[in-house]
Amino acid sequence: MAAWLTPEDVRELVQQFGVKFIRLQFTDLQGVLKNVAITADQLDKALAGELMFDGSSIEGFVRIEESDMYLRPDPSTFTIFPWRPRNGAVARLICDVYTATGEPFAGDPRQVLKRARLEAEKLGFVYKVGAEAEFFLFHLDEKGRPLLTTQDRGGYFDATPNDLGSEARREMVIILEEMGFEIEASHHEVAPGQHEIRIKYDDVLATADKIATFRFVVRTIAQRHGLHATFMPKPIGGICGSGMHISQSLFKDDTRNIFHDPYGEDELSTEALCFINGLLQHARGITAVTNPTVNSYKRLVPGYEAPTDIAWSFQNRSPLIRIPSERGLNTRIELRSPDPSCNPYLAMAVCLRAGLDGLARGELPPPPCYENLYELTDRRREELGIGRLPGSLQEAIEAMEADPLVRETLGEHVYERFIKLKKAEWDSYRVQVHPWEIERYLTLY
């Protein structure tokens, strides 16, 4: 993925590497990657934005009477799949979605992020984001269906050279780097079968594209190793779940990180503090977007290294926001609540708008918290004025509906359909009788 690629560059690369098939990719509202496959003979038509698809078949897009939609590829996202044969190679392009009248489609998550990014650009800022994405690798049964078992019993940073998961993770990193990613680190996480790959910060749109690609690559390579990769936040109770910490910074002219002030307290600028306050003020409202599933809230519970309290600090890893120790160009704000089931375009759009709202208001956050928030009593939490993240998808939806900034960021089309999808998901979950209830109540009453 390279920002300098033009349509002509793409044509030349397709010819040079003998690309036969090209996947035109985009995401639905829930962040699920979709694609339309074409042959290289159709590339000119695709680059001209003339390829049509049925938008009514995509979750949260349009009704059947409005179904004609068009894909316009972004040349900078062209990449060849390294794991496919070189003879008759396969490549992909990430696309923006347009209506039949030639207008950007309001329901396209990538367009939502582009609008938020444009607001930052008008203020002279480049919003850069890095991500630490966690996932589990599980075995498959004899029919190829995923299980909840793993052969490794490793822990945080453990080295397990004979483990199939470690070998799969190594190939994932190699493939991602061949596709233009800069991988800062990869390692085994806290729970058995859990892994993390850290993606270096980049322009927010490039990072969102990378996360969508990352999930596709990880699952594909896992399958090649006879494993199933899942980004489900909490597949197993009683152990740590998978998060996707988002590290954020604002740059001026792509060379100066405005969150760094060598003369500020702890070398943080006033802009950084105001951005933090914006995230804190809108934390509850944006949680349904950054943590969009019923299962997300099984991770956001005390005691499993995921944040539940709306506070910030430096080295303390229990609050919602942490400021890592690096300064200069690497000064950043780490939001620890998001999980890898989120739509990266929507999640980063609401984070950016929340931070920009903090800048516009110019209000400083409360003092950083140095206590272990997991051990705070309710009384002490009240004394410190620390709020809590939503405890369920239903509570998160209610908080989202109470925060006008989220509606404004997503736009009416995405907002209404997202709320509708999430309410239906909650209702489907709410009416089920779960195994826990049978075990607890069937013989008790």
Side-chain angles (χ1 to χ4, degrees):
M1 292 182 278
W4 47 263
L5 287 180
T6 66
E8 187 55 40
D9 292 327
V10 171
R11 293 185 185 94
E12 290 179 3
L13 288 168
V14 165
Q15 185 173 12
Q16 177 183 346
F17 291 97
V19 173
K20 179 62 177 175
F21 299 98
I22 302 158
R23 294 187 182 182
L24 306 180
Q25 298 181 332
F26 59 100
T27 69
D28 66 12
L29 284 193
Q30 302 199 85
V32 177
L33 194 65
K34 306 292 183 180
N35 74 223
V36 175
I38 62 170
T39 63
D41 293 339
Q42 298 297 308
L43 179 61
D44 286 342
K45 186 176 180 181
L47 291 172
E50 297 173 357
L51 282 179
M52 188 177 68
F53 74 100
D54 179 7
S56 66
S57 299
I58 306 300
E59 190 74 79
F61 269 32
V62 292
R63 298 169 297 181
I64 195 166
E65 64 269 27
E66 309 165 314
S67 59
D68 290 349
M69 312 291 288
Y70 289 84
L71 296 175
R72 293 193 182 180
D74 181 343
S76 68
T77 65
F78 178 83
T79 188
I80 295 172
F81 293 156
W83 64 89
R84 298 300 297 266
R86 294 301 182 187
N87 183 22
V90 179
R92 79 90 203 271
L93 286 160
I94 292 178
C95 300
D96 294 310
V97 182
Y98 278 72
T99 67
T101 58
E103 299 295 323
F105 174 46
D108 178 9
R110 203 167 188 262
Q111 295 288 357
V112 172
L113 180 55
K114 281 188 167 184
R115 290 198 303 267
R117 185 179 68 158
L118 181 60
E119 183 175 332
E121 290 174 349
K122 288 179 179 178
L123 296 170
F125 301 137
V126 176
Y127 180 51
K128 296 197 174 186
V129 178
E132 301 173 22
E134 297 171 344
F135 55 93
F136 281 87
L137 292 176
F138 291 131
H139 286 306
L140 303 171
D141 67 14
E142 64 279 1
K143 295 183 178 180
R145 296 173 298 199
L147 303 169
L148 289 177
T149 57
T150 176
Q151 74 179 41
D152 90 68
R153 291 292 179 266
Y156 198 52
F157 285 144
D158 276 359
T160 52
N162 296 320
D163 177 60
L164 189 60
S166 295
E167 184 64 23
R169 191 179 74 232
R170 184 190 70 83
E171 186 178 351
M172 291 168 191
V173 171
I174 291 171
I175 292 292
L176 290 168
E177 288 182 336
E178 288 184 26
M179 295 178 73
F181 284 60
E182 186 170 349
I183 302 299
E184 290 190 315
S186 69
H187 59 83
H188 198 289
E189 259 297 339
V190 174
Q194 189 182 32
H195 302 263
E196 176 183 299
I197 296 177
R198 191 183 310 163
I199 302 168
K200 184 177 174 61
Y201 71 84
D202 200 345
D203 171 79
V204 62
L205 185 63
T207 298
D209 286 340
K210 286 175 181 176
I211 291 171
T213 301
F214 170 85
R215 295 190 297 207
F216 168 67
V217 170
V218 165
R219 299 191 77 170
T220 299
I221 302 306
Q223 191 175 49
R224 286 164 56 90
H225 284 260
L227 299 168
H228 175 75
T230 181
F231 294 97
M232 181 180 177
K234 189 88 167 187
I236 300 175
I239 62 175
C240 291
S242 292
M244 188 177 72
H245 301 165
I246 296 177
S247 294
Q248 310 166 66
S249 52
L250 288 177
F251 278 68
K252 277 274 191 181
D253 303 321
D254 209 33
T255 57
R256 182 168 66 88
N257 186 335
I258 70 164
F259 285 173
H260 179 241
D261 180 356
Y263 305 105
E265 187 174 354
D266 296 301
E267 296 189 40
L268 284 185
S269 67
T270 300
E271 290 89 345
L273 294 171
C274 292
F275 198 97
I276 289 169
N277 195 52
L279 287 169
L280 295 175
Q281 293 298 315
H282 293 286
R284 287 180 56 83
I286 68 175
T287 297
V289 181
T290 59
N291 306 82
T293 70
V294 166
N295 184 253
S296 296
Y297 299 87
K298 307 296 176 72
R299 167 181 168 257
L300 296 179
V301 295
Y304 293 98
E305 301 195 7
T308 58
D309 296 289
I310 303 173
W312 73 286
S313 189
F314 290 89
Q315 295 306 306
N316 187 355
R317 292 177 181 267
S318 60
L320 172 67
I321 291 173
R322 183 178 78 95
I323 309 301
S325 59
E326 292 178 285
R327 291 295 180 265
L329 288 177
N330 291 322
T331 306
R332 59 194 185 275
I333 296 168
E334 180 185 272
L335 185 67
R336 298 174 59 79
S337 57
D339 69 54
S341 70
C342 72
N343 184 313
Y345 301 101
L346 302 184
M348 292 180 188
V350 295
C351 287
L352 173 56
R353 287 295 314 285
L356 292 180
D357 186 58
L359 284 179
R361 293 175 184 271
E363 298 171 357
L364 298 180
C369 182
Y370 296 102
E371 300 185 43
N372 184 344
L373 297 181
Y374 300 138
E375 298 177 356
L376 284 190
T377 64
D378 289 342
R379 181 175 179 179
R380 179 59 176 157
R381 188 176 288 105
E382 187 175 347
E383 289 173 356
L384 294 171
I386 295 175
R388 308 202 82 168
L389 292 175
S392 68
L393 181 59
Q394 180 186 32
E395 188 181 346
I397 293 168
E398 292 170 355
M400 179 175 170
E401 291 179 310
D403 190 334
L405 177 132
V406 182
R407 185 175 203 143
E408 181 184 311
T409 301
L410 300 182
E412 287 298 314
H413 182 106
V414 171
Y415 178 84
E416 290 178 0
R417 284 160 176 78
F418 186 90
I419 290 286
K420 183 178 179 180
L421 283 171
K422 294 297 116 179
K423 285 184 174 180
E425 183 176 337
W426 175 255
D427 283 343
S428 176
Y429 172 76
R430 183 178 57 84
V431 300
Q432 301 297 318
V433 177
H434 299 278
W436 180 91
E437 298 171 86
I438 300 298
E439 290 183 17
R440 187 172 184 87
Y441 302 129
L442 189 62
T443 58
L444 183 62
Y445 296 105

